[in-house]
Amino acid sequence: MNVGIIGSGGREHALCLSIKKSHRVDKIYCFPGNAGTAAIAENIEINFSDFNKIKEFSIKNEIDLLVVGPEKPLVDGIVDFFNDTKINIFGPDKISSQLEGSKIFTKNICEKYNIPTAKFGIFENANDAILFLDKTQFPLVVKADGLASGKGVYICENKNEANLAINQVFDGKFGLAKNILIEEFLVGEEMSYFIISDGKEIKSFETAQDHKRVLEGDKGANTGGMGAYSPSRLLNQSLEEKILNKIIKPTIKALEEMGSNYKGFLYAGLMIVKDEPYLIEYNVRMGDPECQTILPKLKTDLFEIINACCNENLKNINIEWHDKKSLCIVLCSKGYPEKYNNEILIANTESLELGEDDYFFHAGTKKINNKIYSNGGRVINFVSLSSNFKNSRDKAISLIKNLNWKGGFYRKDIGYKVIDE
C-alpha cells in the first residue's frame, strides 16, 4: 500500500519511520515532511492546509491511507474533506477535533458530563476577565481558546502577570481571540495519557510526561515541549480505570451524542492530584514530542494498528510494547519560543553513531543542496531507550554533545522527577 503522512515535525518523522517498518507499505509520501523524512520517504512540497492539492495528489498517486500528524488540518476538517474518496484517512472528524480546537468546547463537555477538571470562567473581553481577577485566588491559569501550538497557556502568580497574559491573548498574540479561559491552578503532577480508537473500540496507547517550560526546573515560558519520558511513573491499574471511566469514556459518549464517532489518537493532558485524574486539555492527535518518545517502544506494526482503526477492526489487534524506559530531549533554536533564526547549518548529522535503541528525529529542519539547515524552533529530537531513565537521558545528552550544534540549546534535566541524581 501507499501511505501519505501530513505534517513536517518530529512527530511526523517518527510516524514515518514506524510505518516504514511494515512489510505491507510500498511507498510513503510526506506533505511536506522535513530533512529526516526525505531520507526514507518522498517529500511533496504541498502546504498541509491545501486540502485540494493533497486530495488531487493522493488520488493521482494511488495513496491508500493518509495519516494526519498535526492538529490544524484536523480542526479545519480534512477528514470530512476526504469523505467522498476511497482513501482511508486516520484522524478525528471536524466535530471531534473541536476537543483541541476550542478549550471552551471541551470545558462545556466536562461541565455537562461531570468530567473532573479545574474550575473555570469564560470571558469575551479583557475588561470582564480583569474584573474577575479580584474575585479569585492565585496562582491561576490563563488560556487562549483556540490553537496556539502548546504556547497559549500562562501560569500566573499574581494579578500583574494575569493582566499581562489577558492583554496579550486579546491583542492577538496567538491569533484572533474571541474568548479567554481562566481556571484554577491544580497542584499535582502532569501526565499525558493516550488512547487509540476506531469509533467503536478504545485501546490505551501508552503514557508519557512532557516538559513544557523552556527552562530547567520547569521555569520560564511554555513551549510546544522541550522533552518527554515514557512511561509515566504515576500510572497504576486503579488510576487508569479512573481515567477511562471518568474522563475518556464520557467524552467519547458526548461526541457520539453530537453525531461523531471518534477515530484516531486521543491525548488527554491530565493533572494527577492525590491519585485522582483531572483533565487539563485534549489533543486530537499524538503529542509532540511524546510521539517520538512512545513509538520506539511499540512492538506491534503501527501500519496494521492504524489500518485496523480505519476499518473499525481495532478489537482484533493486540498492541504490544517493549518493556523499556524511553526519554526524549528536544534540541531547540536559540531564542525559542520567542524570536530565533532559521537556516542555520547543522553539520555532523551523518557522523552520529546511533545505538540500537537510539533515535534521531528531525523536527524543524530542511535540506538545501544536500545539506541540513534549521527550519523552526524545535529542531531535532534525541530519543534513547534503556532499562532506566538515567541511562536513557545520559545517552541522549551524549548524542547532542556529539552533534555539537552551536545554534541550539536544550534542557539537561528532562525526566528529573523520575531520576535520582
Side-chain angles (χ1 to χ4, degrees):
M1 288 193 178
N2 294 332
V3 177
I5 296 175
I6 295 172
S8 62
R11 169 184 48 227
E12 288 74 39
H13 187 189
L15 287 166
C16 190
L17 191 67
S18 287
I19 289 169
K20 183 81 173 173
K21 293 176 186 174
S22 177
H23 70 278
R24 290 188 61 198
V25 173
D26 298 313
K27 183 155 188 179
I28 300 178
Y29 299 94
C30 293
F31 306 95
N34 58 35
T37 61
I40 51 177
E42 185 177 343
N43 285 353
I44 307 299
E45 282 300 318
I46 296 176
N47 188 302
F48 58 61
S49 295
D50 195 334
F51 297 174
N52 278 309
K53 282 190 178 174
I54 293 173
K55 183 189 274 189
E56 187 180 301
F57 182 94
S58 299
I59 292 168
K60 184 178 177 182
N61 290 273
E62 298 180 339
I63 289 176
D64 302 284
L65 169 67
L66 277 171
V67 179
V68 188
E71 60 275 20
K72 191 172 188 310
L74 293 168
V75 171
D76 289 345
I78 193 168
V79 170
D80 310 67
F81 190 78
F82 273 80
N83 278 345
D84 63 349
T85 73
K86 292 180 181 177
I87 298 167
N88 277 334
I89 181 163
F90 179 70
D93 63 17
K94 192 167 186 176
I95 293 174
S96 288
S97 294
Q98 288 182 79
L99 287 176
E100 181 166 3
S102 169
K103 296 175 181 69
I104 291 168
F105 174 86
T106 299
K107 283 290 192 181
N108 288 336
I109 285 177
C110 289
E111 197 166 52
K112 184 175 178 181
Y113 291 84
N114 296 314
I115 294 169
T117 190
K119 293 172 186 169
F120 65 98
I122 299 165
F123 304 93
E124 294 181 353
N125 59 69
N127 286 340
D128 288 347
I130 288 166
L131 284 172
F132 176 75
L133 299 179
D134 292 327
K135 308 170 194 170
T136 191
Q137 293 181 317
F138 288 89
L140 54 74
V141 183
V142 175
K143 294 182 177 180
D145 180 39
L147 295 178
S149 302
K151 301 184 200 77
V153 177
Y154 297 81
I155 297 166
C156 304
E157 299 290 342
N158 54 55
K159 193 173 177 183
N160 285 341
E161 289 181 9
N163 272 332
L164 179 65
I166 290 165
N167 284 318
Q168 284 187 350
V169 171
F170 278 115
D171 286 345
K173 184 170 182 180
F174 307 102
L176 180 66
K178 293 181 180 176
N179 296 287
I180 202 168
L181 193 70
I182 299 178
E183 61 182 30
E184 69 172 328
F185 180 80
L186 293 172
V187 179
E189 192 166 334
E190 287 188 49
M191 182 171 84
S192 304
Y193 183 87
F194 295 87
I195 62 112
I196 193 167
S197 173
D198 66 357
K200 294 178 178 178
E201 187 83 11
I202 295 168
K203 292 201 173 184
S204 62
F205 205 82
E206 261 298 357
T207 60
Q209 185 177 52
D210 188 13
H211 295 59
K212 285 283 188 194
R213 307 293 280 270
V214 70
L215 302 176
E216 289 173 14
D218 289 331
K219 293 181 169 54
N222 262 327
T223 71
M226 297 296 294
Y229 64 85
S230 174
S232 165
R233 65 173 181 167
L234 301 174
L235 194 68
N236 54 58
Q237 188 178 346
S238 167
L239 178 59
E240 186 161 32
E241 286 174 3
K242 289 174 185 175
I243 293 166
L244 288 168
N245 293 325
K246 293 184 175 184
I247 295 174
I248 304 291
K249 289 178 181 177
T251 303
I252 299 292
K253 183 186 175 190
L255 294 170
E256 283 174 1
E257 290 180 3
M258 295 177 192
S260 177
N261 283 335
Y262 196 97
K263 286 187 179 183
F265 291 119
L266 179 61
Y267 156 14
L270 305 171
M271 186 67 77
I272 311 302
V273 183
K274 297 176 182 174
D275 212 36
E276 290 293 327
Y278 291 81
L279 181 69
I280 303 172
E281 64 175 358
Y282 274 127
N283 289 343
V284 295
R285 34 74 191 186
M286 277 299 275
D288 185 341
E290 293 97 330
C291 181
Q292 298 90 294
T293 317
I294 288 170
L295 284 186
K297 295 176 59 190
L298 182 64
K299 275 187 187 179
T300 310
D301 184 323
L302 179 62
F303 170 81
E304 296 290 0
I305 296 170
I306 290 174
N307 199 47
C309 280
C310 291
N311 296 312
E312 297 186 351
N313 195 30
L314 184 61
K315 67 181 178 185
N316 292 321
I317 297 284
N318 183 28
I319 302 176
E320 294 184 297
W321 302 92
H322 294 288
D323 185 19
K324 291 185 177 180
K325 311 296 186 190
S326 177
L327 188 138
C328 171
I329 300 176
V330 180
L331 181 60
C332 300
S333 294
K334 285 180 178 174
Y336 175 80
E338 301 300 332
K339 288 184 179 177
Y340 53 86
N341 293 321
N342 275 328
E343 296 196 9
I344 298 173
L345 179 67
I346 306 167
N348 305 329
T349 57
E350 298 297 324
S351 60
L352 277 181
E353 292 184 15
L354 298 176
E356 186 184 350
D357 283 331
D358 298 329
Y359 297 83
F360 174 89
F361 294 118
H362 290 253
T365 66
K366 66 178 177 180
K367 243 181 184 175
I368 306 171
N369 296 329
N370 255 1
K371 291 183 178 179
I372 295 169
Y373 293 83
S374 64
N375 187 39
R378 295 185 297 162
V379 181
I380 296 168
N381 311 142
F382 293 84
V383 180
S384 285
L385 281 66
S386 73
S387 59
N388 67 77
F389 285 118
K390 186 172 191 315
N391 283 350
S392 298
R393 185 170 73 184
D394 288 347
K395 286 201 296 174
I397 288 175
S398 177
L399 287 169
I400 293 173
K401 286 179 176 176
N402 289 344
L403 180 68
N404 194 29
W405 185 52
K406 303 296 185 189
F409 76 99
Y410 63 98
R411 277 183 59 171
K412 300 176 185 68
D413 68 339
I414 301 299
Y416 72 91
K417 289 181 180 176
V418 288
I419 297 171
D420 296 323
E421 296 293 358

